[in-house]
Amino acid sequence: MIQATTERWSYTFLMTSLPAMPPRFDVARLPISPAALEERLARIPDEDLQVVEQMRDLLFWDRLGLLMSDEEIIKQYQAFLAETKNEIARQIVSFRMDVRTIVAALRCRRRGVPLPSVPSEWMGTIKRQFAEPSLGLGTRFPWIAAIDKHFAQGDVDEADRLILHIVYEQWSRWMAGRPASFESLLLYVARWDVIHRFVSRNRELGEKRMEQ
């Protein structure tokens, strides 16, 4: 069983050595390079590093998309929840799963295809109110209408950008006022992955424009 924070190891020095995260995700460059971040992560206890890597795999499924089916990824998510007792790690991954579930439901509705089988507390509501514009979740998640509008306009890039904004803002709120700890590292890494995804995508789009 994976325990929560490793008490025998202090995260104060590690967190103070990391560059501050920007208030927004849509920046021109990463606050810390991938190599430098990996070097920092290599210092933490193995059991904590295992939680970090499992969390990162589940935050952005495209890390596993070429190797695993959706069903296998869902099983990995369920195994993560069963094994990981760290509450912040569970909240980070569960929120990302909720966003993915809602976005997948919006896409399925537009394409006229069946809903995916996803373990989410909101799936019952989504199934019952599938025809409702915000899937019956507009009060809880007011951003649903904006994402659906982007899909309706065929603006997938803006929809993806809004999704990144949503998760980055949520994790930034959870980080506010939190002392240096394993949990603050988890939130740092989660937000770094959002920025890395955005910066990498912008670089790819720029290269495509140069080729045209």
Side-chain angles (χ1 to χ4, degrees):
M1 191 75 68
I2 298 172
Q3 299 300 316
T5 304
T6 304
E7 296 179 359
R8 60 181 172 79
W9 203 86
S10 173
Y11 279 86
T12 302
F13 178 76
L14 176 62
M15 293 307 299
T16 54
S17 74
L18 291 169
M21 277 285 153
R24 294 175 57 94
F25 75 93
D26 48 354
V27 294
R29 63 182 62 185
L30 291 165
I32 182 172
S33 71
L37 179 61
E38 293 303 325
E39 188 274 330
R40 300 293 205 290
L41 293 176
R43 302 177 188 177
I44 71 176
D46 290 343
E47 58 267 35
D48 287 356
L49 182 58
Q50 181 182 356
V51 175
V52 171
E53 290 306 315
Q54 290 175 334
M55 179 192 76
R56 295 177 79 182
D57 283 341
L58 289 165
L59 290 183
F60 295 108
W61 290 5
D62 51 359
R63 288 181 58 158
L64 300 176
L66 298 177
L67 303 175
M68 301 175 67
S69 66
D70 287 351
E71 291 75 16
E72 290 172 324
I73 295 172
I74 290 170
K75 287 181 180 179
Q76 182 164 329
Y77 168 63
Q78 293 172 324
F80 175 85
L81 293 181
E83 296 174 5
T84 306
K85 299 310 173 187
N86 186 285
E87 189 59 29
I88 285 295
R90 293 166 62 90
Q91 288 177 11
I92 290 170
V93 172
S94 294
F95 181 73
R96 188 70 178 98
M97 179 66 75
D98 288 342
V99 174
R100 287 190 62 90
T101 299
I102 292 167
V103 171
L106 293 174
R107 284 176 169 150
C108 288
R109 185 171 65 186
R110 293 210 162 271
R111 295 169 182 170
V113 299
L115 283 168
S117 178
V118 179
S120 170
E121 63 176 305
W122 307 112
M123 186 53 74
T125 300
I126 291 172
K127 287 181 177 179
R128 289 192 301 272
Q129 302 198 50
F130 193 52
E132 199 274 328
S134 292
L135 304 170
L137 297 172
T139 301
R140 179 67 177 80
F141 302 110
W143 40 262
I144 293 177
I147 291 179
D148 195 41
K149 182 178 179 180
H150 287 313
F151 285 155
Q153 296 171 342
D155 199 343
V156 177
D157 287 341
E158 279 303 309
D160 288 345
R161 186 186 184 101
L162 178 55
I163 292 165
L164 294 180
H165 168 77
I166 290 163
V167 295
Y168 192 85
E169 286 293 302
Q170 181 66 63
W171 296 332
S172 294
R173 284 193 291 270
W174 290 348
M175 182 64 186
R178 185 177 295 275
S181 62
F182 178 51
E183 287 73 22
S184 60
L185 177 65
L186 289 171
L187 289 162
Y188 187 98
V189 171
R191 289 180 296 158
W192 184 92
D193 275 345
V194 172
I195 297 174
H196 183 255
R197 184 181 178 95
F198 175 78
V199 170
S200 299
R201 179 173 297 173
N202 268 9
R203 185 183 303 116
E204 292 171 1
L205 291 174
E207 290 173 353
K208 288 180 180 179
R209 283 194 293 266
M210 290 290 290
E211 293 172 357
Q212 293 176 353

